[in-house]
Amino acid sequence: MKSASTPIETEVQSRSGRLLDQPKAVWAVAFACVISFMGLGLVDPILPAIASKLHASPSQVSLLFSSYTLITGLAMLITGFVSSRLGTKWTLLSGTLLIVIFAVCGGLSSTIEQLVGFRAGWGLGNALFIATALSAIVGLSSGGPAKAIILYEAALGLGISVGPLLGGELGSISWRGPFLGVGVLMALAFLSILILLPKLPKPKTRTSLADPFKALRYRSLFTLGIAALCYNFGFFTLMAYTPFVMNLNEHGLGFVFFGWGLLLAITSVFVAPKLQNRFGTVGSMSAMLLCFALTLLVMGIWTSSQMTVISAVVIAGAFLGVNNTLMTTAVMLAAPVERSTASAAYSFIRFVFGAIGPWLASKLAEWYNPHVPFYVGALAVACGVAAILSGRRHLQHIDTASAAH
């Protein structure tokens, strides 16, 4: 027979369940996550300006996303190897410092080739940071891994939403402004991690370079990686290509992507858990991807309608916010491997093979017409739904595990 909880125990249990009741170290990492994820949406409002100032075509400018994601994906293979030797804190600091250096160098670039190269270096720092940040938040947070993932996705959503707004404001002064701004903010994040994050013990088992590849032998993790790869095609079609068809200035693009990111942040925190509890992780993921594919299809049909494209971009944020949280949760529960190893394996497939997406979207518009990139993006995302449904029997345990958490 269970003994009744004391008032003190009840209060402790209540406090531990609160999402915002976290140690200072968690908030230091979360703040750095916000700034890091700003870098993704920060360049959206200035893509046309970069093309104009550096005399580059849209497909050349889209390489800012391709080089970033390609190097991020490749570097994911070494994040576990590095963090198991340096430890969580120093891996986070190394990644943050690299982002500072390459963001500032990007802001000082004089050619599109230099800028693309520095964005690749930024991707290396980003990989070391984001792979370690998620495991750090999960390990340090109170309230269990489910709440930690929601907090991580909230930081992601906030960074993605604020990034375009800041990018639009700074970009209206100069296209260099957003890059230099990220450098300054990440320097502050570096200091907050250095001061507030305690020295965490190194993992007892060192991760080898082969571990992410071994993790992909689990069909559940491999299936999620393929689904995310297909999803990334649509995601980067929206991120890298739509700024060139909306015909807005830096401020206008900043506000559109701010609305997109705001919906992404809200749904990732408040809507995703409700859908997950009601319909399960796998079923909700499939539904959100299907809705996103239909949104891209609408953008493809009515590409010439500025209001339709703007509205569709903002609405897509709702579907992406839910999907990001559900996918992150699913990856953490997909295979009996370390969280960092699972994240590295999944991100390798997602980013490396999805890196062609931004460039291909712009090239398809150059080769054919402005509608085709959206059609291809919608088809790719639909293939992601098919991948999940075809591998559903390998993903059944995720719903059981997420319900337990």
Side-chain angles (χ1 to χ4, degrees):
M1 182 175 178
K2 291 183 178 179
S3 61
S5 297
T6 66
I8 293 177
E9 289 172 335
T10 302
E11 175 62 15
V12 169
Q13 290 167 1
S14 173
R15 285 176 61 82
S16 67
R18 295 174 188 169
L19 179 63
L20 300 181
D21 185 19
Q22 303 292 347
K24 289 181 180 179
V26 171
W27 290 116
V29 178
F31 169 70
C33 284
V34 171
I35 308 304
S36 175
F37 289 121
M38 274 187 184
L40 187 62
L42 195 81
V43 298
D44 272 301
I46 57 172
L47 290 180
I50 291 174
S52 173
K53 297 296 183 182
L54 297 184
H55 309 291
S57 66
S59 59
Q60 287 177 307
V61 174
S62 71
L63 291 174
L64 292 176
F65 286 98
S66 293
S67 64
Y68 176 83
T69 54
L70 176 64
I71 299 302
T72 295
L74 289 173
M76 281 292 179
L77 296 175
I78 66 168
T79 54
F81 179 86
V82 173
S83 64
S84 64
R85 286 157 177 79
L86 291 182
T88 299
K89 181 172 182 175
W90 290 107
T91 305
L92 282 172
L93 289 173
S94 299
T96 305
L97 184 60
L98 285 173
I99 293 173
V100 171
I101 293 171
F102 286 109
V104 171
C105 289
L108 301 176
S109 300
S110 56
T111 66
I112 189 64
E113 290 80 12
Q114 289 178 356
L115 190 54
V116 169
F118 290 133
R119 276 286 282 183
W122 188 336
L124 173 60
N126 186 61
L128 291 171
F129 177 82
I130 63 173
T132 317
L134 177 56
S135 59
I137 288 178
V138 170
L140 291 168
S141 68
S142 59
K147 286 185 174 62
I149 288 171
I150 292 174
L151 183 62
Y152 175 81
E153 292 297 336
L156 183 153
L158 183 61
I160 287 180
S161 61
V162 174
L165 202 59
L166 182 63
E169 290 298 320
L170 296 177
S172 63
I173 301 171
S174 169
W175 69 264
R176 302 178 188 276
F179 291 93
L180 299 175
V182 166
V184 172
L185 290 172
M186 282 305 284
L188 293 176
F190 178 90
L191 292 175
S192 70
I193 293 173
L194 182 65
I195 296 169
L196 297 177
L197 189 67
K199 185 177 180 181
L200 301 172
K202 296 179 182 179
K204 294 180 180 179
T205 304
R206 289 191 173 187
T207 303
S208 74
L209 293 175
D211 283 350
F213 294 106
K214 292 178 181 178
L216 290 174
R217 292 184 296 185
Y218 292 97
R219 287 292 300 276
S220 53
L221 191 59
F222 182 76
T223 298
L224 290 172
I226 295 299
L229 160 63
C230 297
Y231 157 69
N232 259 22
F233 268 81
F235 178 82
F236 282 113
T237 296
L238 185 144
M239 291 290 287
Y241 177 64
T242 53
F244 291 101
V245 300
M246 284 190 281
N247 297 315
L248 296 170
N249 61 18
E250 290 86 353
H251 283 292
L253 289 172
F255 279 113
V256 169
F257 280 99
F258 170 71
W260 168 80
L262 191 63
L263 264 185
L264 187 151
I266 292 171
T267 56
S268 67
V269 176
F270 299 106
V271 180
K274 296 182 183 298
L275 290 177
Q276 185 180 33
N277 291 336
R278 181 72 182 274
F279 303 106
T281 303
V282 178
S284 299
M285 269 196 305
S286 301
M288 290 302 102
L289 287 174
L290 183 60
C291 289
F292 181 40
L294 292 174
T295 304
L296 289 170
L297 182 62
V298 167
M299 295 168 75
I301 296 172
W302 288 285
T303 307
S304 57
S305 171
Q306 185 186 53
M307 284 308 301
T308 300
V309 174
I310 290 173
S311 301
V313 167
V314 175
I315 291 171
F319 306 134
L320 301 183
V322 174
N323 187 68
N324 285 347
T325 296
L326 296 178
M327 275 200 161
T328 303
T329 303
V331 168
M332 294 296 102
L333 302 172
V337 297
E338 292 288 334
R339 292 189 183 101
S340 57
T341 301
S343 178
Y346 158 82
S347 298
F348 168 70
I349 296 179
R350 175 183 180 180
F351 289 126
V352 169
F353 297 102
I356 194 175
W359 176 84
L360 183 61
S362 296
K363 271 298 180 185
L364 287 171
E366 293 174 12
W367 291 335
Y368 301 104
N369 60 64
H371 304 267
V372 173
F374 294 115
Y375 293 143
V376 173
L379 179 61
V381 176
C383 289
V385 178
I388 291 175
L389 295 179
S390 65
R392 191 178 182 90
R393 67 187 181 90
H394 300 290
L395 303 174
Q396 289 176 345
H397 69 284
I398 292 174
D399 282 329
T400 305
S402 60
H405 280 299

